[in-house]
Amino acid sequence: MNIVLFGPPGAGKGTQAKLICEKYFLNHLSTGDLLRKESSKETSLGIQIKNTINDGKLVSNETTIELIKQFINENKNNNKGFLFDGFPRNKKQAELLDHLMESINEKILCVILLNVNEDVLKERIMNRSTTEGRSDDNLETLSKRLHTYSSETEPLIEYYSSQNLVRKVHGTGEISDINQGISSHIEASLNA
Ligand code: ATP
Ligand code: MG
């Protein structure tokens, strides 16, 4: 099965993705992680990615899609499917994902939307900035990331709602309760 984990920056996608992947034996495909890994290389592409991330914008579809395809190819025979974390982030990526799924004879089971309000997002990211040291976890970049989310990524909720795939989960409270909420939706979708 293949699942999309959707939500604004700081919604807790990474945290929940790990738990869900362990529970259902899925490959964790985080475009943020893949891009950060690429950006840590001192190549011109790496530097370009780093600048874009620090500016709170989306990295080009071309670069993102290349990394996705590579990851899928390397992992398609492992585990039982993919959990997409931070992808797709715009319409073009969503369409590409549909094609990719089709090409490997798979489909998206559901899109889990983690709902968290903006005050909590800001608080979490500012807390995280003191522990993880991500260069995009500062108030200035965060406000740009939130803007990018609402203008380019959030419209995908409509794209997936029209396919009846969206399942909303409250993203605040205990990590284990949120995880339970996600699992219930996955199991309901599996049994539908
Ligand atoms: P969090 O990890 O807290 O949920 P986030 O969703 O903003 O926050 P990542 O998913 O790690 O964090 O993404 C960090 C940055 O990487 C984004 O702001 C963007 O610049 C880039 N990025 C990640 N995924 C994509 C994507 N699918 N397309 C283009 N750029 C991406
Ligand atoms: Mg993340």
Side-chain angles (χ1 to χ4, degrees):
M1 72 183 182
N2 302 286
I3 292 170
V4 173
L5 196 52
F6 199 92
K13 298 186 293 291
T15 304
Q16 293 298 331
K18 281 195 194 82
L19 298 170
I20 296 296
C21 286
E22 278 167 20
K23 184 160 176 186
Y24 296 100
F25 307 102
L26 301 176
N27 296 300
H28 181 192
L29 196 168
S30 158
T31 41
D33 290 349
L34 292 176
L35 288 165
R36 272 187 291 281
K37 192 168 157 210
E38 197 62 37
S39 78
S40 68
K41 300 178 187 164
E42 314 233 305
T43 57
S44 68
L45 178 63
I47 292 162
Q48 204 184 316
I49 293 173
K50 195 167 192 89
N51 289 336
T52 309
I53 289 179
N54 290 344
D55 202 23
K57 300 200 174 111
L58 295 186
V59 173
S60 76
N61 285 335
E62 197 193 0
T63 299
T64 306
I65 285 160
E66 201 42 56
L67 293 172
I68 290 269
K69 285 186 173 163
Q70 210 175 310
F71 184 92
I72 290 182
N73 261 324
E74 286 166 0
N75 292 284
K76 64 185 172 207
N77 299 320
N78 304 336
N79 298 322
K80 299 189 172 167
F82 293 93
L83 184 140
F84 296 95
D85 161 6
F87 180 88
R89 257 175 152 93
N90 61 28
K91 181 97 185 291
K92 184 111 197 109
Q93 292 184 5
E95 289 168 353
L96 178 100
L97 181 58
D98 286 342
H99 290 139
L100 270 174
M101 287 286 106
E102 231 177 84
S103 74
I104 55 173
N105 247 320
E106 290 282 343
K107 53 188 180 183
I108 298 166
L109 177 71
C110 58
V111 174
I112 305 284
L113 169 60
L114 278 177
N115 264 326
V116 177
N117 76 44
E118 217 170 291
D119 289 341
V120 175
L121 296 174
K122 286 191 175 143
E123 195 184 301
R124 285 184 182 173
I125 292 211
M126 292 324 285
N127 275 334
R128 187 170 73 183
S129 72
T130 64
T131 56
E132 290 186 18
R134 259 172 64 169
S135 57
D136 59 342
D137 281 350
N138 56 72
L139 279 182
E140 196 192 341
T141 306
L142 175 61
S143 86
K144 293 183 185 168
R145 286 158 67 194
L146 289 169
H147 178 80
T148 303
Y149 177 76
S150 59
S151 60
E152 298 187 55
T153 308
E154 217 170 12
L156 293 183
I157 296 174
E158 190 47 47
Y159 179 87
Y160 286 120
S161 293
S162 70
Q163 302 175 45
N164 208 3
L165 289 176
V166 178
R167 310 285 181 266
K168 290 185 187 161
V169 174
H170 281 292
T172 42
E174 293 291 325
I175 289 174
S176 59
D177 291 338
I178 299 166
N179 187 248
Q180 196 46 54
I182 297 174
S183 295
S184 312
H185 280 302
I186 293 176
E187 269 144 52
S189 303
L190 279 174
N191 295 324

